[in-house]
């Protein structure tokens, strides 16, 4: 579920890493400080980690290098082919945020970068309720993604993107399911998480949510 954008990633998989390193002008600000953003996720977690939307494996590689055991989930065949070439020591499953194989091991943290916006807000809540049950007591969800503070800041950023003439980025912002902190924060509280949001660049926020109940 939430797989309507997967064909785009099958096409993009060959040159995705050129975009994250700033070779696509429209997306330069979205991926500004990409390496630091990945490190900020790594620095928030420990133990056994479940990662969604692994893509070409840039975050996965850092998590494994930091000594964590990683289970990864990815729906795009193209991306799966890219990550398999890297020979990273982790277990990869074909799946998505909502539909993935049962895990036999306790999970300390669930992470993802640049991917949660592929779910509608209703699907995001469904995912968070699944993760609340799956995580260990005091386990964490740590996601970095494009999020708007509220509808006013969404409008302001869309106007700026339109004035920059970035029509591809504007279409992306208007067609994928980018949400707001105003929407996400109450959903996380309802499912027992204490959450901090911190801004990492013009578009990307770090969402660090810790489970308060057992
Ligand atoms: C923009 S890429 C991000 C890749 C990587 N996490 C990174 O930070 O570079 C988005 C990834 O999410 C995956 N994706 C798309 N829909 C998804 C879904 N419903 N569940 C999980 N992953 C999804 C895509 O196939 C792609 O690999």
């Amino acid at each position: 579920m939430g797989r309507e954008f997967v064909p785009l990633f099958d096409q993009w998989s060959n040159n995705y890493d050129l975009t994250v390193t700033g070779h696509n002008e429209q997306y330069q600000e979205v991926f500004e400080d990409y390496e630091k953003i990945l490190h900020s996720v790594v620095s928030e977690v420990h133990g056994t980690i479940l990662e969604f939307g692994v893509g070409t494996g840039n975050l996965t590689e850092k998590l494994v290098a930091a000594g964590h055991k990683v289970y990864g989930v990815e729906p795009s065949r193209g991306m799966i082919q890219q990550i398999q070439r890297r020979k990273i020591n982790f277990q990869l499953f074909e799946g998505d945020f909502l539909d993935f194989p049962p895990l036999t091991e306790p999970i300390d943290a669930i992470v993802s970068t640049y991917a949660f916006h592929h779910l509608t807000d209703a699907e995001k809540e469904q995912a968070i309720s699944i993760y609340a049950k799956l995580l260990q007591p005091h386990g964490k969800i740590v996601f970095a993604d494009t999020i708007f503070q509220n509808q006013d800041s969404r409008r302001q950023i869309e106007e700026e993107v339109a004035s920059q003439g970035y029509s591809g980025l504007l279409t992306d912002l208007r067609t994928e399911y980018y949400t707001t902190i105003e929407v996400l924060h109450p959903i996380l509280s309802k499912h027992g998480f204490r959450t901090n949001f911190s801004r990492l660049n013009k578009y990307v926020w770090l969402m660090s949510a810790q489970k308060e109940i057992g």
Side-chain angles (χ1 to χ4, degrees):
M1 278 186 283
R3 293 195 185 203
E4 50 269 55
F5 304 106
V6 171
L8 286 177
F9 287 101
D10 286 332
Q11 288 164 24
W12 196 9
S13 56
N14 278 331
N15 58 8
Y16 175 76
D17 281 336
L18 288 176
T19 306
V20 304
T21 47
H23 291 75
N24 179 335
E25 188 191 331
Q26 298 204 16
Y27 281 85
Q28 271 170 3
E29 287 182 307
V30 176
F31 288 102
E32 189 177 359
D33 290 331
Y34 176 70
E35 288 291 312
K36 266 200 221 161
I37 288 170
L38 303 187
H39 278 294
S40 63
V41 173
V42 176
S43 69
E44 289 272 328
V45 295
H46 71 273
T48 301
I49 316 287
L50 174 61
E51 181 190 354
F52 287 101
V54 295
T56 57
N58 296 328
L59 175 65
T60 323
E61 188 172 64
K62 288 179 176 29
L63 290 164
V64 170
H68 305 307
K69 178 160 189 189
V70 181
Y71 293 98
V73 176
E74 171 58 53
S76 153
R77 292 299 315 162
M79 288 297 195
I80 287 173
Q81 279 168 10
Q82 294 299 322
I83 197 169
Q84 281 175 337
R85 290 202 185 118
R86 289 174 75 163
K87 313 272 182 238
I88 302 168
N89 183 20
F90 79 117
Q91 185 160 1
L92 179 61
F93 299 110
E94 198 277 341
D96 61 54
F97 278 108
L98 294 170
D99 184 11
F100 53 94
L103 298 161
T104 48
E105 208 173 328
I107 298 298
D108 298 300
I110 296 173
V111 302
S112 181
T113 50
Y114 292 90
F116 201 42
H117 64 271
H118 296 114
L119 299 191
T120 63
D121 286 345
E123 289 169 336
K124 288 185 188 86
E125 173 155 14
Q126 206 184 328
I128 287 164
S129 76
I130 295 170
Y131 306 158
K133 294 184 193 94
L134 182 68
L135 281 167
Q136 288 283 83
H138 305 294
K140 280 176 145 186
I141 303 173
V142 182
F143 288 172
D145 199 4
T146 291
I147 306 175
F148 300 105
Q149 249 172 312
N150 50 40
Q151 293 300 349
D152 277 350
S153 54
R154 179 199 300 275
R155 265 190 296 277
Q156 195 186 322
I157 288 182
E158 284 185 1
E159 277 170 21
E160 282 171 29
V161 172
S163 72
Q164 287 170 306
Y166 292 162
S167 57
L169 176 57
L170 189 61
T171 303
D172 174 357
L173 292 176
R174 287 181 173 164
T175 51
E176 301 198 5
Y177 309 126
Y178 297 99
T179 194
T180 62
I181 293 174
E182 279 181 349
V183 167
L184 270 183
H185 203 228
I187 293 175
L188 286 153
S189 301
K190 180 176 155 192
H191 292 279
F193 290 91
R194 184 169 37 83
T195 311
N196 282 311
F197 289 89
S198 47
R199 198 171 195 164
L200 301 178
N201 69 25
K202 176 173 168 182
Y203 293 90
V204 175
W205 289 73
L206 183 73
M207 180 192 100
S208 177
Q210 183 153 36
K211 197 169 139 179
E212 290 192 298
I213 48 172

